[in-house]
Amino acid sequence: MKNIAYTTESDILLRLKAGDELALEELMGRYKGALALSMSRLIKSREDIEELLQELFLRVWKNRDNLDPERYLSYLYKIAENLVYDRLRKAAREKRLSIDYFAHIIEAYSHIEEGIFDKELLAVLQRGIQQLPEQRRRVFELCKIEGKSYEEVSQLLSISVATVNSHITNANASIKAYFRQHPELASMVLLVFLFANFAPDTL
């Protein structure tokens, strides 16, 4: 087997198209970690991510003849995105929506593109946000909805960064607890999120 460090990606793709299974392993070695990180934004289970990655590279192998050397990387991430969405949509259809998935989305606010939370989604989220104490709610809205940094909120509200962090931590816990009591609302949030125009940062 060639040393991956001295193998060009063009060479890997040529060998892959020729049916070289070792080339597929080299491609996996280069991008499996980054793809797993991208998937982890919505999928918490390592076992699920590993299963999706196996399916991803199986699809790459089956469609190796059609790989575009100029666009293969975006192709990998597009497959990853589709696999994640398919997994979550299946859970929604089977009414097996996990509050853990919803909680993961709540915690990922700061990593999601600005504008992803449209009016419909925010209207549902507000039901959970409104039950927070006034100061905690203000901190949460400034950080998670308006996108301000902890430092900016600290200066704006004349509180320490540690206090901002504490408010966010407690707000996340309170909102998750609220939606555990109202799973039908969590389902609405997740479904709206799934069909939003979301694209991983890596694309």
Side-chain angles (χ1 to χ4, degrees):
M1 180 176 178
K2 292 185 179 181
N3 188 323
I4 295 177
Y6 298 100
T7 303
T8 67
E9 294 187 355
S10 295
D11 179 51
I12 292 176
L13 293 177
L14 286 173
R15 289 163 47 216
L16 181 62
K17 286 191 171 189
D20 186 345
E21 294 184 7
L22 292 180
L24 180 66
E25 292 183 13
E26 293 181 26
L27 195 68
M28 291 175 61
R30 292 192 178 208
Y31 295 111
K32 186 175 181 179
L35 289 165
L37 181 61
S38 180
M39 288 180 170
S40 70
R41 297 171 66 180
L42 288 179
I43 300 292
K44 297 185 70 176
S45 166
R46 292 184 179 180
E47 290 77 12
D48 285 350
I49 290 174
E50 186 64 33
E51 181 181 333
L52 293 179
L53 285 171
Q54 291 178 7
E55 174 62 24
L56 186 157
F57 285 104
L58 178 60
R59 292 189 185 184
V60 170
W61 176 254
K62 289 181 177 179
N63 294 283
R64 61 187 182 278
D65 290 339
N66 300 317
L67 279 180
D68 183 346
E70 301 297 325
R71 298 182 57 81
Y72 75 92
L73 188 54
S74 62
Y75 174 66
L76 292 179
Y77 279 100
K78 187 62 179 179
I79 295 176
E81 179 184 348
N82 290 338
L83 287 172
V84 168
Y85 285 4
D86 287 346
R87 175 62 59 91
L88 294 178
R89 288 187 184 114
K90 180 180 179 181
R93 288 195 302 270
E94 296 177 356
K95 298 182 180 180
R96 293 188 292 104
L97 286 174
S98 168
I99 291 297
D100 287 339
Y101 277 130
F102 172 75
H104 192 47
I105 290 173
I106 290 291
E107 293 173 348
Y109 273 2
S110 59
H111 303 292
I112 296 171
E113 287 187 10
E114 183 178 358
I116 186 67
F117 292 100
D118 61 16
K119 293 181 179 180
E120 181 181 357
L121 182 49
L122 284 174
V124 178
L125 284 173
Q126 284 296 332
R127 302 188 191 185
I129 295 171
Q130 289 302 316
Q131 48 88 38
L132 298 173
E134 182 177 355
Q135 180 79 329
R136 186 164 299 162
R137 181 174 69 248
R138 181 61 175 150
V139 170
F140 185 89
E141 290 174 340
L142 286 170
C143 289
K144 297 300 188 177
I145 296 178
E146 297 185 23
K148 297 185 182 299
S149 69
Y150 284 17
E151 290 76 13
E152 289 174 322
V153 175
S154 171
Q155 295 176 9
L156 184 63
L157 300 181
S158 299
I159 57 178
S160 69
V161 172
T163 299
V164 173
N165 182 66
S166 177
H167 276 306
I168 293 298
T169 299
N170 290 324
N172 282 336
S174 296
I175 292 173
K176 285 185 284 185
Y178 175 82
F179 281 101
R180 284 193 181 95
Q181 297 171 1
H182 302 278
E184 73 285 357
L185 297 180
S187 299
M188 290 174 62
V189 171
L190 184 53
L191 288 172
V192 173
F193 181 86
L194 290 178
F195 289 97
N197 185 25
F198 171 71
D201 293 340
T202 40
L203 287 183

